[in-house]
Amino acid sequence: MQHNMNNYEQEVKEFKLEEPEYYNFAFDVVDKWALDRTKLALVWADTAGKTIRKYTFWDLSKMSNKFANVLISLGIKKGDKVFVMVPRIVEWYAVMLGLNKVGAVALPAPTIITAEDIEYRIKKAEATMAIASASNAQKVNMACEKECPSLKHRMVIDGDLEGWLSFENQMDEASAKLSKDDVEPTKLTDPLIIYFTSGTTKYPKMVMHDQGYALAHTITAKYWHDLKPTDLHWTISDTGWGKAVWGKLYGQWIMGSAVFMHNAEGAFDAKTTLRLLTTQGITSFCAPPTVYRMLIQQDLNQYDFSDLKHCTSAGEPINPEVIKVWKNATGNLIYDGYGQTESVLLVANYPCMPIKYGSMGKPVPGFDIRIVNDDGEDMPIGEPGHIAVKIKPKHPLGLTKNYYKDEKATDEAFRGDFYFTGDRAYKDNDGYFWFYGRADDVIKSSGYRIGPFEVESALQEHKAVAESAVVASPDPIRGDIVKAFIILAKGYEPSEELIKDIQDFVKHKTAPYKYPREIEFVKELPKTISGKIKRAVLRRIEIERKTGKKGFNGTFI
């Protein structure tokens, strides 16, 4: 199989992304592919995974033209902010592409956020319009009960609500004709989208991306997802999370691949996911480690993985044991990738180079990424430091330039020649990066610095462990100790013997001082809306328990 990168070093040396003065993804990519009316863009499955619909680029071009005309009729113009809370349905594409065509700035939101979150986002960004599906519209009403002074329009999809415009009625009346000349053109540097970062403790920050962000996702889809125009790619993600445009929109369509969307609702359904993955001709698959950990709990021998050619994972590092089990069952390695809401893909494993199980891989072409100390000086090989992106002499396309309306956060992250990611890693002799933890997740115990991921990976290899989270827990003698919260695999019950067995197992898998001195069995782990484990929440619970401060109510245990 011919890969999109055959020689890593050569590609890094020769890489160049053309940066035109004007760029608009919806016009320049979607409408261009739409010239071939038969070219497949999207395969959609309903919640049960029984109804499958297919859409061409031509379908999406016409849909987005109509929606752009709706926006124009409402007076929405270039630079206006629009709050979008739409689940995994085709209308999401009409909305996102229509907004792009008129140059309005999308504020995508996950459908599970609360009315309080919605109010915060609409007010903070000064959104002019809110678009929501019927199931979420009432939350928007609740959010703006007090007042959202900037909000002029509310539009509901698949519903009829007082004071709300109907998406369907508006679309029925709109023209499907639109040319670039009908709208104000967008420059590469004009705003495209604002994401709210999933902070575990503070209010989320606003990450503003320009039109060039869409173009820069070429890197994500070409090198990491390894896509060609004949592929069908499925990224599992809520439409409100940054991962949706990473894997359901920009890079994949730039490469000419089709994308798959499953309108998943409620709790993750491993059986439906595996059935769709193995019956719809999906060739490329991307999911967070949490999903892979749940999929390998199933009997994978029941499924035919012969169409699947390439698998990727992001969101958190993926445990080596999960990669091994998946490879044995499906024939596919999982290529881990690292990036942030603030960026496109930054570090990854690629088909053209050997995988080191548990490694993040190497920096993507087009980015200079280093492991540095607080002053921006390179750390020695094997020594953990900050993952930092070089932003001088030229700011790389695809990396945000600041936190919107937040000078303090911007100054903290953008220092000197670098953007500091807030994550730590070290580099080995071969130039591979190894994740060490969020800067604030690192455990200091008896003078040792312990990265939680290494302990979690050792735990993952134990047959009784389905999923785990490792945090620092206060200890009068050691300062902190390693504490593991563990979800047990099917068929295992909590016991003192099992705790001892798991502890001994970890002692043999890592340096003995890293083993979890405390283990607590739980039914679920607190997670961000994008599926990352909220270690900060667990750490806070431990501090409150051990120091006697109130605050923990035991709801998730």
Side-chain angles (χ1 to χ4, degrees), residues 8-9 335-336 347-363 369 371 380-383 425-435:
Y8 174 77
E9 280 73 22
Y335 293 83
D336 197 10
V347 181
N349 292 278
Y350 317 101
C352 68
M353 66 189 206
I355 277 189
K356 291 189 180 188
Y357 282 40
S359 163
M360 299 161 72
K362 294 184 179 183
I369 297 170
I371 306 294
I381 297 293
E383 291 278 316
Y426 62 88
K427 202 157 97 168
D428 69 16
N429 285 317
D430 301 321
Y432 284 75
F433 284 40
W434 297 79
F435 192 75

Side-chain angles (χ1 to χ4, degrees), residues 318-365:
I318 188 148
N319 316 86
E321 185 60 20
V322 178
I323 301 176
K324 285 176 197 154
V325 174
W326 187 255
K327 169 86 166 66
N328 290 341
T330 72
N332 287 280
L333 281 164
I334 301 170
Y335 293 83
D336 197 10
Y338 166 82
Q340 296 185 307
T341 308
E342 290 85 345
S343 69
V344 293
L345 185 71
L346 295 174
V347 181
N349 292 278
Y350 317 101
C352 68
M353 66 189 206
I355 277 189
K356 291 189 180 188
Y357 282 40
S359 163
M360 299 161 72
K362 294 184 179 183
V364 297

Side-chain angles (χ1 to χ4, degrees), residues 430-554:
D430 301 321
Y432 284 75
F433 284 40
W434 297 79
F435 192 75
Y436 198 72
R438 286 289 301 170
D440 52 5
D441 279 344
V442 174
I443 302 162
K444 295 173 190 143
S445 181
S446 303
Y448 293 109
R449 292 173 70 83
I450 301 162
F453 175 64
E454 190 183 352
V455 186
E456 287 166 6
S457 286
L459 287 166
Q460 191 67 47
E461 292 188 49
H462 193 287
K463 55 187 183 301
V465 176
E467 197 167 16
S468 69
V470 167
V471 298
S473 180
D475 181 79
I477 296 160
R478 295 182 172 81
D480 279 323
I481 56 165
V482 176
K483 163 97 182 239
F485 291 85
I486 291 173
I487 298 174
L488 288 173
K490 272 190 214 130
Y492 288 89
E493 291 296 323
S495 70
E496 286 303 320
E497 292 76 28
L498 185 56
I499 288 175
K500 176 108 180 50
D501 186 64
I502 291 171
Q503 287 172 328
D504 290 343
F505 181 83
V506 174
K507 281 182 196 171
H508 290 106
K509 286 285 170 188
T510 67
Y513 67 85
K514 296 178 181 177
Y515 86 94
R517 289 173 184 274
E518 278 186 19
I519 287 175
E520 183 172 333
F521 298 112
V522 295
K523 290 276 185 283
E524 58 181 336
L525 295 166
K527 287 178 182 168
T528 66
I529 44 186
S530 55
K532 295 179 190 176
I533 294 166
K534 288 185 176 180
R535 290 186 190 82
V537 170
L538 294 170
R539 203 164 57 243
R540 204 162 60 238
I541 289 165
E542 282 303 295
I543 291 166
E544 287 166 0
R545 281 176 177 172
K546 297 277 178 86
T547 59
K549 290 178 190 165
K550 62 178 178 29
F552 173 61
N553 60 11

Side-chain angles (χ1 to χ4, degrees), residues 172 204 217 255 288 440 522:
D172 284 348
H217 269 303
M255 297 306 294
D440 52 5
V522 295

Side-chain angles (χ1 to χ4, degrees), residues 10 84 90 96 134 138 142 148 169 175 178 183 218 256 276 282 288 346 362 367 389 412 425 439 448 462 472 507:
Q10 188 185 342
V84 179
V90 70
M96 293 295 284
Q138 292 301 354
M142 281 164 59
C148 291
N169 292 351
S175 162
L178 182 79
V183 293
T218 304
L276 290 168
I282 290 151
L346 295 174
K362 294 184 179 183
F367 279 81
V389 182
E412 277 173 24
Y448 293 109
H462 193 287
K507 281 182 196 171

